[in-house]
Amino acid sequence: MKSLSSLLITSAVIAVSSTASAALVAGDIALVGFQASGAPSDSFSFASLVNVDAGTVLYFSDNGFTTGAGFRGVSATDNDGNEGLIKYTVGANGLAAGQVVSSLSTNTANGAWTLSGLIYGTTVGSGSYAPLNFSSTGEQFTVFQSSNAQPMLSGYTSLYSFDNTGAYEAATTSSTGQLAPGLVGGTSAILLPSPTGANFANFNFGAFSGAADRATWLARMGNSANWTTSSAPTNTADGSFSVTAVPTPGAAALLGLAGLIARRRR
């Protein structure tokens, strides 16, 4: 028969590890790589900070956002706006916390990219999925979920934003934009200085070392000092890093009680 302390520890472990969910919140996904002027196409990479269920859909767009107006150029009859939109559907394996996925990834067990086809409806000209085409003089793009068949029109939940223009402003050009609702600079968004000279090709989070919890990783990813820049075009790639779980208050209490019981039994 198991002791009470071992049962409490088992219960705590279950409580800590049961974190996967199809509904995500800001900071559950982070943008960690940006490649302009790449071959065969521009690319980027994202990281999961939590376990993500199979079938979860993520959208990525380089349309700038303006507070009160939404994504630039998007309307009921224009589903890709002034720039682009692509979709990623998480595969049968799901995504574990700490996975990095490139927009060039062909690992269908992890997920699949939708890079063509109409976004909504049957009317040609209403907007199609297409690989994102990044500006070499500054860009921003956003990852989000949406409950709407017209994803950028309404019903979206913003998860993370990348911006390498040095400032947030109303989206009046392909290189401008503000933070979408729910995003916070340094926590669920990275703002990098404007490119100078030829140093625009690569922007990558460069501090993947050791193990840390979600909040610590997000703080590191949101710090521009932890990003590297290179003028050499290098495609983004898949990878992984270690995300440690943070016990829920209930699980932490169970672990503490288990430890107290174990000490008294000695």
Side-chain angles (χ1 to χ4, degrees), residues 14-63:
I14 292 172
V16 171
S17 60
S18 300
T19 58
S21 174
L24 303 174
V25 299
D28 284 348
I29 301 293
L31 298 169
V32 294
F34 170 89
Q35 170 63 67
S37 300
S41 64
D42 295 347
S43 64
F44 64 88
S45 56
F46 73 88
S48 56
L49 277 298
V50 296
N51 298 329
V52 182
D53 288 347
T56 300
V57 175
L58 304 173
Y59 295 96
F60 301 80
S61 179
D62 55 348
N63 281 279

Side-chain angles (χ1 to χ4, degrees), residues 20-127:
S21 174
L24 303 174
V25 299
D28 284 348
I29 301 293
L31 298 169
V32 294
F34 170 89
Q35 170 63 67
S37 300
S41 64
D42 295 347
S43 64
F44 64 88
S45 56
F46 73 88
S48 56
L49 277 298
V50 296
N51 298 329
V52 182
D53 288 347
T56 300
V57 175
L58 304 173
Y59 295 96
F60 301 80
S61 179
D62 55 348
N63 281 279
F65 190 90
T66 299
T67 302
F71 289 102
R72 180 171 171 254
V74 173
S75 69
T77 56
D78 187 347
N79 294 291
D80 59 1
N82 290 86
E83 297 187 73
L85 177 70
I86 60 176
K87 180 171 70 173
Y88 184 80
T89 304
V90 177
N93 288 353
L95 293 178
Q99 282 191 261
V100 178
V101 179
S102 166
S103 61
L104 301 177
S105 177
T106 57
N107 186 343
T108 56
N110 286 343
W113 293 99
T114 300
L115 304 174
S116 62
L118 292 174
I119 296 168
Y120 172 78
T122 58
T123 304
V124 175
S126 63

Side-chain angles (χ1 to χ4, degrees), residues 223-234:
N223 182 350
S224 61
N226 291 328
W227 285 68
T228 62
T229 302
S230 171
S231 60
T234 304

Side-chain angles (χ1 to χ4, degrees), residues 87-248:
K87 180 171 70 173
Y88 184 80
T89 304
V90 177
N93 288 353
L95 293 178
Q99 282 191 261
V100 178
V101 179
S102 166
S103 61
L104 301 177
S105 177
T106 57
N107 186 343
T108 56
N110 286 343
W113 293 99
T114 300
L115 304 174
S116 62
L118 292 174
I119 296 168
Y120 172 78
T122 58
T123 304
V124 175
S126 63
S128 298
Y129 293 109
L132 303 186
N133 183 19
F134 292 138
S135 169
S136 62
T137 58
E139 185 64 90
Q140 72 291 120
F141 67 109
T142 304
V143 53
F144 60 96
Q145 289 188 292
S146 183
S147 60
N148 195 334
Q150 296 174 281
M152 288 192 288
L153 187 61
S154 63
Y156 40 77
T157 299
S158 308
L159 303 177
Y160 205 89
S161 172
F162 170 97
D163 189 310
N164 66 349
T165 67
Y168 296 120
E169 60 285 290
T172 57
T173 70
S174 62
S175 296
T176 54
Q178 296 171 329
L179 286 176
L183 299 183
V184 178
T187 300
S188 50
I190 176 63
L191 180 65
L192 295 166
S194 299
T196 57
N199 292 327
F200 63 81
N202 262 313
F203 290 81
N204 292 292
F205 175 68
F208 283 120
S209 62
D213 62 25
R214 174 184 179 276
T216 301
W217 279 120
L218 286 174
R220 294 174 182 174
M221 292 168 177
N223 182 350
S224 61
N226 291 328
W227 285 68
T228 62
T229 302
S230 171
S231 60
T234 304
N235 291 327
T236 59
D238 294 348
S240 64
F241 59 105
S242 179
V243 180
T244 57
V246 176
T248 63

